[in-house]
Amino acid sequence: MSDSVIIPKEAAPRLSSLFSRAYLFGTLMLGSGIMLHAVETYITATLMPSIVRDIGGLSLFAWATTIYVAASVLGSTFVAVRPERVTLNRCYVFGAVLFGIGSLVCAIAPTMETVLIGRAIQGLGAGFLVALGYAFIRFVYPEPLWSTASTLYAAVWGIATFLGPTIGGIFAAGSAWREAFALLVPLSILMAFSAPKLLPSGEGERVTTKTPFPQIVLLVAAVVLLSFASSVTAPVLRGALAVAAVVGILVTITIERHAQARLLPAGTISLSSPLARVYLTMLLLLVTICSDVYIPYFLQVLHAVTPLVSGYLVALLALGWTAAAFTTASLKGRRANQVILVGAAIEAVATALLVITLARYNPQSNVLLLAIATVFIFLMGFGIGMGWAHLVTHVLHLAPAGETDKASAAITTMQALGSAFGAALAGIIVNTTGLVEPGGTEGALTAARWLYSLLALPAALAILLTLKLPVGKTAASH
């Protein structure tokens, strides 16, 4: 495949265009990389109870996710700061190989500590693959298809939300969690072998800098500290860890502002930069959406819903994201910015309304109350899905000359950080407001009310940022 393929200017940016002969293999490769990561995320979440029962390590349960997310930040960063002679398709090979090695380590792990090593290697590979999904867009597709390609990736996550728990449930039911990880190994090998043949090299004008090790270390440390803060029981220690994480983030920003070796594109630290506002909007929307991590628990404890049903109800959030992405993919310019704003408002309001629907004691599983709560769960995903593809397109348009790789990789970094910070903040809120002490129904009610009240605020703040998003191909230097 050539590095750039031109289609007629008048061609309609429909999803089917991504599967035309010119783009089919690129679409399959990039979609497969994101699908591998997305499905595995849900499979592992489903398998973790079985893994703990088999080899122990309950105290390390949460770290299977934390270490994966932290490693994915490192992987996505390498895509942007890789050596000049390392092309994007070679990065894809590295990512697929690392993912396969990590899966193999998990499959043969005798202890939970070994599983965590495998999860770290998996996360590193996943960071490569997801970052490349965005970085390759400008090489595989013409500009009119950029937003449509971003929509496809949202659809991949929606599909994975249903496939992952189902596949994981099948393997968990037979206590075959090792086979579930082993299944990913040949898939990873196939993808690594195919990448040089089916993907363009991804070479282009690029500003090369030294690796921003201090910023990377501080960000990963902040993720780890917040994860610790969400799981410790002592309030004083929880507060100290949270403060330390905030300090780490502030120091990272200070270093990034003056460093020659930058993690983000030039000018991104200042809110006067349109690109900075786009990234921050992404981060805030993701922090709010991560309040979904406790939805299954509240459905089971407060509404007497079975674990299987609660899993599929929360999956409606991803379905909402996918449905909105398809609905709004064709919008451009001011209309695209309007749906980003409306979507942020819908996400904020839907999250806040869970305070009076999900945070209710409903031991009889009243269908009407559950139905209303389910609608708001769906709308949380629908809200972020309305604008996500357009935010990605803004990043590609606003990237400074020579820093498109860095700008694209930063999308994945924002996703990882948003997910990590959102989940950690959710843990801190519920553990501080009664989930564990006093616990039970009373604790769950109090925790749910505080959680959805507070985590609606980041999406509300994102509304203000969307009011100043650029229209069209505004220069990044503005």
Side-chain angles (χ1 to χ4, degrees):
M1 179 184 293
S2 61
D3 281 8
S4 61
V5 183
I6 299 176
I7 64 171
K9 188 175 181 179
E10 66 274 10
R14 297 178 179 177
L15 186 65
S16 59
S17 302
L18 302 179
F19 296 92
S20 64
R21 184 176 180 181
Y23 316 116
L24 176 61
F25 291 118
T27 297
L28 291 176
M29 288 298 294
L30 301 183
S32 295
I34 294 176
M35 176 67 83
L36 190 68
H37 160 62
V39 170
E40 190 278 338
T41 298
Y42 293 107
I43 288 176
T44 302
T46 307
L47 291 175
M48 279 305 296
S50 298
I51 297 173
V52 169
R53 282 194 298 269
D54 189 13
I55 62 175
L58 180 60
S59 62
L60 300 174
F61 191 102
W63 283 96
T65 298
T66 298
I67 200 165
Y68 182 89
V69 171
S72 71
V73 173
L74 298 179
S76 65
T77 301
F78 181 84
V79 173
V81 299
R82 68 190 188 278
E84 189 171 2
R85 288 176 292 181
V86 178
T87 59
L88 288 180
N89 58 4
R90 287 184 181 177
C91 279
Y92 193 103
V93 174
F94 296 154
V97 169
L98 285 169
F99 197 93
I101 292 173
S103 300
L104 180 61
V105 171
C106 290
I108 63 176
T111 64
M112 180 59 75
E113 288 79 5
T114 310
V115 170
L116 295 184
I117 293 173
R119 289 288 287 163
I121 300 172
Q122 269 190 326
L124 193 61
F128 274 78
L129 295 176
V130 178
L132 289 167
Y134 293 111
F136 262 119
I137 286 178
R138 63 192 176 103
F139 293 104
V140 174
Y141 309 108
E143 186 177 324
L145 287 176
W146 286 359
S147 179
T148 308
S150 301
T151 300
L152 175 66
Y153 300 154
V156 166
W157 273 98
I159 295 169
T161 304
F162 287 94
L163 284 180
T166 302
I167 297 172
I170 292 172
F171 283 97
S175 297
W177 61 270
R178 295 186 186 277
E179 286 80 356
F181 284 114
L183 184 64
L184 300 173
V185 177
L187 293 176
S188 301
I189 293 173
L190 177 62
M191 292 166 61
F193 178 78
S194 303
K197 303 176 184 298
L198 300 181
L199 288 173
S201 65
E203 293 177 299
E205 180 187 356
R206 186 164 65 92
V207 175
T208 57
T209 63
K210 296 180 180 179
T211 304
F213 282 116
Q215 297 97 304
I216 294 172
V217 170
L218 285 168
L219 276 181
V220 172
V223 170
V224 172
L225 287 170
L226 273 180
S227 298
F228 267 125
S230 68
S231 59
V232 299
T233 56
V236 174
L237 179 58
R238 185 184 303 143
L241 290 170
V243 169
V246 171
V247 170
I249 295 169
L250 293 176
V251 174
T252 302
I253 293 173
T254 302
I255 294 174
E256 181 76 6
R257 190 184 301 276
H258 304 288
Q260 290 185 334
R262 288 176 284 99
L263 182 62
L264 300 173
T268 306
I269 292 301
S270 172
L271 276 180
S272 63
S273 161
L275 187 55
R277 294 195 292 272
V278 172
Y279 282 140
L280 188 54
T281 299
M282 287 178 155
L283 185 68
L284 291 171
L285 294 177
L286 285 166
V287 168
T288 290
I289 210 73
C290 282
S291 61
D292 73 333
V293 69
Y294 285 97
I295 288 177
Y297 179 83
F298 293 136
L299 285 172
Q300 293 174 43
V301 173
L302 300 178
H303 296 266
V305 173
T306 65
L308 180 62
V309 173
S310 68
Y312 281 108
L313 287 180
V314 77
L316 290 174
L317 186 147
L319 182 62
W321 186 324
T322 302
F326 282 125
T327 303
T328 63
S330 62
L331 300 179
K332 305 291 181 185
R334 292 188 183 278
R335 294 187 66 189
N337 282 355
Q338 288 168 357
V339 298
I340 296 173
L341 188 152
V342 172
I346 289 174
E347 183 184 349
V349 172
T351 303
L353 288 175
L354 289 178
V355 173
I356 59 175
T357 53
L358 184 62
R360 293 276 293 274
Y361 187 46
N362 179 28
Q364 304 303 318
S365 300
N366 181 277
V367 175
L368 179 59
L369 184 59
L370 270 174
I372 296 172
T374 300
V375 168
F376 292 139
I377 292 170
F378 177 86
L379 288 176
M380 286 174 67
F382 195 88
I384 190 171
M386 287 179 70
W388 187 263
H390 302 297
L391 290 168
V392 171
T393 303
H394 271 312
V395 170
L396 297 176
H397 282 152
L398 293 168
E403 294 197 285
T404 309
D405 287 351
K406 184 174 290 186
S408 301
I411 297 172
T412 307
T413 302
M414 292 301 129
Q415 285 183 299
L417 293 177
S419 299
F421 291 155
L425 286 173
I428 291 172
I429 292 169
V430 298
N431 288 330
T432 303
T433 56
L435 189 70
V436 176
E437 179 62 42
T441 301
E442 180 185 352
L445 280 170
T446 305
R449 289 166 184 159
W450 277 103
L451 177 64
Y452 297 110
S453 297
L454 294 177
L455 283 191
L457 297 178
L461 181 57
I463 297 172
L464 301 178
L465 291 172
T466 60
L467 294 173
K468 294 186 177 183
L469 288 177
V471 179
K473 304 173 187 177
T474 307
S477 60
H478 285 188

